[in-house]
Amino acid sequence: MTQPQVETSRTAERERADVGLCAVLLGVKDDQPEVLALEDAHGGLAIAHGAIDDIDTTLERALRRMVERTVGAHLAYVEQLYTFGDRGRDPQRRALTIAYLALVRREIAPARHRSQWLPCYQLFPWEDFRAGRPEQIDRLIVPALRSWAKDDPRRGLRADITFGLSGSAWDPHRVLERYELLYEVGLVDEARRDAQQRGNQLPSASEIALGRPMALDHRRIVATALGRVRGKLSYRPVVFEMLPSEFTLSQLQRLVEALAGFTLHTPNFRRLVSAAGLVEPTGHHRPTGGRPAELFRFRGDVLRERPTPGVGLPGAR
Amino acid sequence: MTQPQVETSRTAERERADVGLCAVLLGVKDDQPEVLALEDAHGGLAIAHGAIDDIDTTLERALRRMVERTVGAHLAYVEQLYTFGDRGRDPQRRALTIAYLALVRREIAPARHRSQWLPCYQLFPWEDFRAGRPEQIDRLIVPALRSWAKDDPRRGLRADITFGLSGSAWDPHRVLERYELLYEVGLVDEARRDAQQRGNQLPSASEIALGRPMALDHRRIVATALGRVRGKLSYRPVVFEMLPSEFTLSQLQRLVEALAGFTLHTPNFRRLVSAAGLVEPTGHHRPTGGRPAELFRFRGDVLRERPTPGVGLPGAR
DNA sequence: ACAAAAGTGTTTCGACTACACCCATGG
DNA sequence: CCATGGGTGTAGTCGAAACACTTTTGT
């Protein structure tokens, strides 16, 4: 589609602003979800980013080419995440970035330049329940939240809902809400850094800095991406974008667990996945430590049969 | 948050582009979902739009003030929808618009200027199943789709999934996918208009123009909004943003039905809503044609109790 | 043999559906 | 008394959760 008409009244209203693209490239290796990070000029970690190239007719195309330029990876699955425009304000310009989520097969995605794969749970250690409840929640986060909410019941309610306290259930989707709350409370390094840059007081006297910080608001963008993937798992077959064409059910399960951040009941997982018609056997087998595993492939026909074909996490009720 | 540091490498990469905001204001009156539309200079219908005001620190704040300026309405619920950047390309500039969804109580939202409330199902007549299956689907849409997909099975599959044909179920959430398919097939007026502006052939020789057209790609933006609302109904208590503080269960049901586009089983709806703890009785009553109806209010505590408090449409399985 | 990993059967539970029915008011 | 809209009881169905158990390989 092109601009249908010279819309003077409209373009006149518009301001010029700095606009860029950025992409959260998400892959899983050795049961760890990882995000592609580049070292920026100041030694910070940034996700892939760049300008909108004018030759591309759609934003998605511009994004794909930006990523190919920047990190040399070809992207399979891409979706728009969110547009961030709160930061980077100064009298002359506003810095906008249109963030995308991209899922990649780690085998196909070579990291170039000064890039590295950064484990997501180094960024958000409190999000990984696979080896039990992360100890930092009860040791560091809960006490800090309690003292932050001491005099305001609304803060208490928010803390309870976001971190699943006082009877509320832990909701795996609320990755962003948790990061943002920790930022507000001053438990992540970016909060201190941004306060210093503004010349403000620290939001809290705490010396706690949970998880690895990133440049600008990139950790917030990655949190948005992780939350989005967790949500999408249950109603769209996005996991298969991160698997080879043939895979075992354990591979699939461990991948889902890595993204969801908790373990699943193996026998039920197998049945749910096959009963949903998501996969079909290829007839091939693969040797393992024990009994050889059957290889499966994604069954494209589910798309026609079910409105919401996904792996259905327990918390999705 | 402010820009933490002068990121020369980054800002240098950025291009200047025209960026604006727009808002889909959605309300329901007399069981009809309606969107606020303004007449533009050329007699077309446009949703509320404007520039990003530099004094606002967040995009959401900029949007709220833009809407207050433009149509004089104060917004309760607001969320970012999507950033559209495919249209309006020319060698000099790219026109970007960050679209927001806003839900309003029609009593509180006075329309000012040259604005009007436009019934959504005039834009998308094929989306309203409350009085039975819209006749246009089988009379106009299906034949056109079939002839469009005649020689390409992938087109056939896409048509089947999007419009629930050949055994696929109609998915109320796929509002945008349906509009986009109709655009591609050439069954909406915008397709013809945009092709003419490009100097291209019409995408189809058909003279069919389903639904009322809007300026630019605004109908596509409204489709995105309607799809988002339908999705959100089932897992967030967004409907209550469009109701007065006290309401009857019928009011609630008719509102949900208006948005979802199909009718619900009344006895079950009542129970699901109360069993979910979404509402509590106020003790007041309201005279009706028959037995007086009990008045209810939204019960805020659900937020603590359930991770996904929504009204749960049948198709959400 | 036994550890390790894959894979199956069966019961229980709870959410949603469908259908039949009762209640309170106005004309 | 009967039409209209409000409201309840109850049995059936389906998918998911939990638990116990079998199969096939490598060492």
Side-chain angles (χ1 to χ4, degrees), chain A residues 9-315:
Chain A
S9 68
R10 176 151 193 190
T11 48
E13 275 174 359
R14 288 209 169 124
E15 308 260 332
R16 301 201 150 258
D18 278 320
V19 190
L21 293 169
C22 67
V24 180
L25 268 67
L26 215 59
V28 174
K29 184 164 191 183
D30 299 332
D31 298 341
Q32 292 305 322
E34 296 177 340
V35 61
L36 191 80
L38 302 110
E39 279 180 34
D40 76 357
H42 321 288
L45 291 166
I47 58 176
H49 60 272
I52 303 174
D53 203 324
D54 258 335
I55 69 167
D56 296 302
T57 52
T58 72
L59 287 179
E60 190 181 309
R61 247 176 265 202
L63 179 99
R64 286 177 185 277
R65 294 205 324 116
M66 181 277 280
V67 170
E68 277 167 34
R69 265 198 328 268
T70 317
V71 296
H74 178 75
L75 302 178
Y77 180 84
V78 166
E79 76 174 58
Q80 200 188 97
L81 243 198
Y82 198 80
T83 298
F84 296 83
D86 297 358
R87 67 199 168 72
R89 290 236 330 121
D90 73 344
Q92 305 300 342
R93 63 155 190 271
R94 172 190 290 272
L96 286 170
T97 188
I98 307 170
Y100 277 77
L101 163 66
L103 303 180
V104 298
R105 298 189 174 83
R106 283 294 306 276
E107 313 86 60
I108 305 175
R112 270 218 298 244
H113 299 305
R114 298 164 61 81
S115 66
Q116 55 180 289
W117 287 99
L118 184 63
C120 286
Y121 296 131
Q122 280 183 24
L123 299 170
F124 315 109
W126 55 87
E127 293 289 346
D128 186 5
F129 281 67
R130 286 175 297 171
R133 185 178 174 88
E135 53 91 21
Q136 329 193 345
I137 296 180
D138 294 314
R139 185 169 57 85
L140 300 171
I141 297 179
V142 172
L145 288 177
R146 292 278 179 248
S147 108
W148 172 78
K150 190 159 25 81
D151 302 317
D152 186 345
R154 289 195 325 235
R155 285 185 169 187
L157 181 62
R158 179 170 163 214
D160 288 351
I161 292 172
T162 341
F163 279 91
L165 311 175
S166 315
S168 295
W170 177 275
D171 183 350
H173 305 116
R174 299 189 192 265
V175 184
L176 177 62
E177 283 169 70
R178 282 188 283 270
Y179 175 77
E180 288 188 330
L181 183 51
L182 294 180
Y183 182 99
E184 262 185 72
V185 178
L187 297 177
V188 293
D189 208 51
E190 287 92 334
R192 215 175 338 265
R193 178 202 68 190
D194 295 350
Q196 273 171 4
Q197 239 111 29
R198 278 197 307 267
N200 289 6
Q201 296 256 323
L202 300 179
S204 131
S206 134
E207 286 301 318
I208 303 173
L210 292 165
R212 200 158 158 185
M214 294 186 76
L216 305 167
D217 59 351
H218 285 194
R219 208 164 153 208
R220 172 185 306 242
I221 299 177
V222 177
T224 311
L226 186 58
R228 176 76 65 93
V229 173
R230 286 184 172 179
K232 211 129 200 178
L233 278 182
S234 18
Y235 66 97
R236 284 290 122 102
V238 282
V239 256
F240 303 104
E241 306 287 348
M242 311 175 77
L243 281 171
S245 58
E246 296 200 354
F247 48 84
T248 69
L249 291 184
S250 315
Q251 257 185 299
L252 176 62
Q253 183 182 349
R254 285 200 309 273
L255 174 56
V256 171
E257 289 176 338
L259 294 169
F262 55 87
T263 56
L264 299 168
H265 186 79
T266 310
N268 288 338
F269 179 80
R270 306 178 54 82
R271 255 178 316 231
L272 293 180
V273 162
S274 9
L278 277 171
V279 297
E280 58 189 1
T282 62
H284 307 155
H285 290 263
R286 168 180 301 166
T288 68
R291 172 173 168 176
E294 197 170 0
L295 286 167
F296 292 80
R297 75 171 71 89
F298 172 59
R299 191 171 151 275
D301 291 355
V302 257
L303 297 173
R304 184 196 288 268
E305 298 159 5
R306 307 209 149 212
T308 59
V311 292
L313 305 181

Side-chain angles (χ1 to χ4, degrees), chain B residues 61 237 290 294 308:
Chain B
R61 246 176 265 202
E294 196 169 1
T308 59

Side-chain angles (χ1 to χ4, degrees), chain B residues 53-68:
Chain B
D53 204 325
D54 259 335
I55 69 167
D56 296 302
T57 52
T58 73
L59 287 178
E60 189 181 311
R61 246 176 265 202
L63 179 98
R64 286 176 185 277
R65 295 205 323 116
M66 182 277 281
V67 170
E68 277 167 33

Side-chain angles (χ1 to χ4, degrees), chain A residues 1-4 10 13 51 54 56 80 83 88-89 94 160 168 183 194 197-198 216 304 308 317, chain B residues 1-4 10 13 51 54 56 80 83 88-89 94 160 168 183 194 197-198 216 304 308 317:
Chain A
M1 285 206 284
T2 30
Q3 176 116 339
R10 176 151 193 190
E13 275 174 359
D54 258 335
D56 296 302
Q80 200 188 97
T83 298
R89 290 236 330 121
R94 172 190 290 272
D160 288 351
S168 295
Y183 182 99
D194 295 350
Q197 239 111 29
R198 278 197 307 267
L216 305 167
R304 184 196 288 268
T308 59
R317 60 194 86 159
Chain B
M1 285 206 284
T2 31
Q3 176 116 340
R10 175 150 195 191
E13 276 174 359
D54 259 335
D56 296 302
Q80 199 187 100
T83 298
R89 290 237 328 121
R94 171 190 289 272
D160 289 350
S168 295
Y183 182 99
D194 295 350
Q197 239 111 29
R198 278 196 309 267
L216 305 167
R304 185 196 287 268
T308 59
R317 62 194 86 158

